[in-house]
Amino acid sequence: MLLNSRIIYCWIVCMFMVKTTFTQIDTGFIRHLSENQLKNEHWTYLNEVKIRQDSLEYFKAKFHLQYENDSLFLHSFDKSFDLFYKDTSALYLACLHFLKTNSKDREKWFGRILDDMTVNQYELHPIVHMYYYSLHPVDVDISQIPEQLQKDMNSYKKADKKKPILASTLSAIIPGLGELYIGNKKVFGTRLIALGLMAFQTVESLLTLGFKHPLTIIDGGFFSAFYVTNIVGVYYDTKAKKTETKNQFLINASNYFSAVYQYQLY
Amino acid sequence: MRRIIFLLYISINCINFVNGQNDVESRLMLLEKEYFISENDTVRNQILVSKIEFLLIDNVVSPRVLEEVKRVEYDFLEEKQQRDFLWNAALISYLNKDTYYALYFLDRYEEECNDVSTEKELLKLLIYVSYDTSKAQQIIDTISKIDKDLNCLNCLNYIQNVESKHQKFAEIISYIIPGSGMLLQGDLLKGSTTLALNTTVVLIIRWMFLQHQYLNMISWGTNLIQKFYLGNIRLTQRMIENKNNRIRKKAADSCQANLENILKQYPLEFKKML
């Protein structure tokens, strides 16, 4: 009986010793794998190392951040947010990455960050501020934005103020005027000339050939179709311009802060 | 006491087996770890060579192997190993369609050893054929003197330069008579349709002129001519290009068979580096 208990004791000690040899993660080695972009080795190492689940997910989140797998990054981040918040460098690198990611993941990420920072009363980092400004461009005091980004912010503010319905109404009054209202001067010129020419050729055929002549019907049909397209098109152009200027502002902000802060992932 | 030692031994082995790094990825990762730990350049490069060898044994010739190849500082390898590495590196680069690296490694290989084998010339030809056809022709002429069977590799150069007959004439005539270029290329349906459409456009414009519909004439004329006349030129050019591609593909298929036969005679194989 005594012998048996000794055996069990030794076996447990042995197991413990072997187990402890797997509880260390070599951050230097991970940095090496990351710098050399050895994706497969990096992933294999993370799958074989035996550490606490949240630590493992923290390293996996950084892995997915490096290789830009947004959904897996968010999944791992959810399981390791305590550790991730302590690593400000990785946190702000993730912010920089999501600033220029034009997808729902951007809203998901910054929504989470803004909520957590507000709850914990953390001071918002300038990078997070940029996203916040992009949500409420009208309230932004332009002097709070770095000089290099002020031009983009002004363009976005300007585009954000434009109303699609007003643009469509203007285009209905004078074809292309809605485009001029949203700042597309060249499109205004071409639309006005094209629709003007169409209108004149319709009038020309109407006066010389009569209302029921096929050419008048074709001319009139084309003019009507282009006139309606011009009204509907400018409605969507206004919305697209808003999104485009917003994305441009965020991409430039990401590039600007990447150059200013030069955060390292490891 | 013996039983205790025995049981300890068994359990350690069991645990090691469970946590064993048996699969390819685990071994590669462990090799990378050895590379990371090592401070000796010779050892480090030996490890990289081991990784490449390991991947090649596993039939991996993907860009991943090429990336490993690029990490090797081959000056730290032994003379024979260096030669074998350079050969493999050139072959891996060629298989990954990285012509510049393939040429670089092959040049270094030629500098390091006086290899006059047909296999080396064959690899050189395969690399040059997509880069410099006149150089490729020189190589074909050289190796054809060694073995007359290799003369059939002229097809490699032929497929790079092959063009459909009268292609320039077809392009020029499509500017003069719309649709005729396509007819000349053998597409009766598209050619005759284009000819009919363009004739109709001319007739419509003429009718509008006679009816004093000048604005309509300018507007419809500009739009329709752009659509049908310029479209006819673009379509003819695309058709010529597609026909050239078809001819090249047909030539490439028969050339592939020739090349496969040659490669059976002179196989391009990876050399063992360890």
Side-chain angles (χ1 to χ4, degrees):
Chain A
M1 188 63 191
L2 186 65
L3 188 67
N4 274 348
S5 60
R6 273 185 187 169
I7 292 168
I8 291 165
Y9 175 73
C10 284
W11 193 79
I12 290 167
V13 169
C14 172
M15 283 287 284
F16 179 75
M17 283 172 70
V18 175
K19 176 91 180 155
T20 50
T21 60
F22 288 98
T23 54
Q24 298 295 317
I25 192 156
D26 188 342
T27 45
F29 182 49
I30 288 190
R31 190 182 305 118
H32 162 80
L33 294 171
S34 165
E35 280 167 4
N36 287 286
Q37 304 218 324
L38 297 164
K39 191 177 176 183
N40 292 50
E41 285 86 344
H42 193 158
W43 184 243
T44 310
Y45 182 66
L46 291 180
N47 279 319
E48 290 189 355
V49 75
K50 302 282 186 290
I51 50 170
R52 275 175 49 196
Q53 191 61 25
D54 59 342
S55 303
L56 183 63
E57 291 298 338
Y58 160 71
F59 282 105
K60 281 188 176 176
K62 286 172 82 166
F63 173 85
H64 294 309
L65 180 62
Q66 181 178 1
Y67 296 105
E68 299 187 351
N69 194 329
D70 296 346
S71 54
L72 287 175
F73 164 74
L74 289 171
H75 177 77
S76 292
F77 172 77
D78 276 340
K79 293 181 176 177
S80 62
F81 59 90
D82 276 342
L83 284 171
F84 215 92
Y85 274 116
K86 285 175 192 160
D87 185 350
T88 48
S89 204
L91 183 72
Y92 295 131
L93 268 174
C95 288
L96 286 173
H97 166 70
F98 280 106
L99 267 190
K100 52 182 169 186
T101 309
N102 183 19
S103 71
K104 283 185 179 173
D105 288 335
R106 177 166 70 193
E107 275 67 45
K108 206 172 161 185
W109 167 257
F110 281 105
R112 171 89 194 254
I113 292 286
L114 283 168
D115 285 350
D116 287 350
M117 288 192 163
T118 315
V119 169
N120 295 312
Q121 295 183 326
Y122 290 145
E123 196 184 333
L124 289 185
H125 189 277
I127 302 170
V128 187
H129 264 300
M130 290 302 125
Y131 179 75
Y132 184 76
Y133 291 154
S134 78
L135 296 178
H136 314 282
V138 184
D139 308 330
V140 176
D141 175 8
I142 202 79
S143 62
Q144 288 179 330
I145 301 224
E147 207 182 322
Q148 290 85 340
L149 299 171
Q150 285 181 1
K151 195 181 160 196
D152 296 307
M153 190 60 193
N154 277 330
S155 304
Y156 175 40
K157 277 178 95 167
K158 218 171 163 183
D160 190 66
K161 282 179 191 164
K162 306 294 178 192
K163 290 179 176 59
I165 293 288
L166 181 60
S168 290
T169 314
L170 288 171
S171 276
I173 299 164
I174 300 171
L177 193 62
E179 294 288 349
L180 186 69
Y181 165 69
I182 62 168
N184 295 341
K185 287 174 191 166
K186 280 183 186 172
V187 183
F188 162 68
T190 47
R191 285 237 173 121
L192 187 67
I193 292 168
L195 274 154
L197 188 65
M198 275 184 176
F200 281 120
Q201 74 186 61
T202 310
V203 171
E204 184 189 59
S205 54
L206 185 70
L207 292 175
T208 51
L209 301 170
F211 185 73
K212 287 181 181 174
H213 194 277
L215 185 64
T216 314
I217 295 166
I218 292 169
D219 280 347
F222 267 94
F223 173 72
S224 310
F226 276 94
Y227 181 72
V228 173
T229 311
N230 141 70
I231 296 167
V232 178
V234 79
Y235 180 86
Y236 290 104
D237 283 351
T238 314
K239 285 186 169 182
K241 182 126 188 177
K242 220 180 263 191
T243 319
E244 193 187 301
T245 47
K246 178 185 175 181
N247 287 335
Q248 195 55 51
F249 167 68
L250 290 174
I251 289 168
N252 288 348
S254 175
N255 293 338
Y256 170 76
F257 285 108
S258 299
V260 170
Y261 290 108
Q262 298 190 336
Y263 290 120
Q264 298 291 321
L265 195 55
Y266 293 100
Chain B
M1 192 60 191
R2 271 185 202 165
R3 283 170 69 185
I4 295 170
I5 293 166
F6 177 73
L7 273 168
L8 274 173
Y9 177 76
I10 294 288
S11 44
I12 287 169
N13 272 312
C14 281
I15 293 159
N16 276 343
F17 180 76
V18 170
N19 293 295
Q21 321 291 334
N22 290 321
D23 65 313
V24 178
E25 288 302 338
S26 302
R27 286 189 194 180
L28 288 168
M29 190 271 288
L30 284 179
L31 282 169
E32 191 57 41
K33 190 147 198 185
E34 279 177 40
Y35 174 90
F36 171 68
I37 293 163
S38 172
E39 287 175 356
N40 183 318
D41 285 332
T42 312
V43 175
R44 290 185 122 201
N45 283 288
Q46 283 295 333
I47 293 167
L48 288 179
V49 168
S50 305
K51 279 187 82 178
I52 296 164
E53 184 92 359
F54 205 80
L55 285 163
L56 291 179
I57 290 168
D58 207 44
N59 290 325
V60 180
V61 280
S62 61
R64 186 181 172 191
V65 194
L66 185 59
E67 287 310 312
E68 293 292 349
V69 165
K70 288 175 187 174
R71 291 174 71 198
V72 176
E73 291 170 75
Y74 56 84
D75 289 336
F76 289 102
L77 303 177
E78 290 163 20
E79 206 176 319
K80 187 189 173 298
Q81 201 177 31
Q82 198 179 92
R83 285 200 301 270
D84 294 341
F85 166 77
L86 287 169
W87 168 264
N88 287 348
L91 195 50
I92 290 166
S93 307
Y94 164 69
L95 291 171
N96 282 289
K97 296 184 169 51
D98 194 330
T99 311
Y100 295 104
Y101 265 99
L103 282 173
Y104 170 76
F105 286 123
L106 195 70
D107 279 353
R108 298 287 85 75
Y109 176 75
E110 284 180 321
E111 278 171 19
E112 291 303 321
C113 71
N114 188 26
D115 185 355
V116 286
S117 68
T118 314
E119 283 84 354
K120 191 225 49 183
E121 291 299 322
L122 201 55
L123 176 60
K124 198 173 173 180
L125 167 67
L126 291 172
I127 297 168
Y128 267 107
V129 88
S130 59
Y131 174 69
D132 181 349
T133 44
S134 62
K135 179 81 178 166
Q137 191 56 52
Q138 278 177 22
I139 300 166
I140 294 170
D141 294 342
T142 315
I143 55 175
S144 299
K145 285 173 192 162
I146 304 165
D147 184 346
K148 280 186 180 173
D149 289 348
L150 295 169
N151 211 15
C152 66
L153 291 176
N154 268 313
C155 66
L156 285 172
N157 249 355
Y158 170 73
I159 49 176
Q160 300 294 323
N161 303 319
V162 68
E163 282 179 354
S164 65
K165 283 177 193 170
H166 318 300
Q167 72 166 55
K168 281 272 175 264
F169 181 65
E171 206 176 323
I172 291 163
I173 205 169
S174 69
Y175 282 90
I176 303 160
I177 308 165
S180 56
M182 290 178 223
L183 288 170
L184 201 69
Q185 288 294 304
D187 196 325
L188 288 175
L189 183 68
K190 277 184 188 168
S192 48
T193 313
T194 309
L195 189 62
L197 282 169
N198 278 282
T199 315
T200 315
V201 168
V202 172
L203 290 174
I204 288 172
I205 291 169
R206 185 179 167 272
W207 176 80
M208 283 175 178
F209 179 74
L210 294 174
Q211 294 290 322
H212 308 290
Q213 299 290 310
Y214 301 117
L215 270 176
N216 270 292
M217 191 186 79
I218 294 166
S219 172
W220 284 110
T222 325
N223 280 306
L224 294 177
I225 284 174
Q226 193 192 346
K227 183 82 184 160
F228 295 122
Y229 179 72
L230 298 179
N232 136 72
I233 294 164
R234 278 195 293 270
L235 194 62
T236 309
Q237 286 166 343
R238 206 183 312 149
M239 198 176 272
I240 290 168
E241 192 50 46
N242 287 345
K243 197 169 181 183
N244 283 343
N245 286 340
R246 276 202 303 277
I247 295 169
R248 274 188 208 123
K249 195 180 175 305
K250 205 174 168 186
D253 287 345
S254 67
C255 195
Q256 181 69 23
N258 289 343
L259 187 63
E260 276 170 18
N261 282 333
I262 297 295
L263 286 174
K264 275 178 197 162
Q265 258 180 285
Y266 303 101
L268 297 179
E269 288 174 334
F270 290 111
K271 293 182 178 174
K272 278 205 177 301
M273 295 179 286
L274 294 171

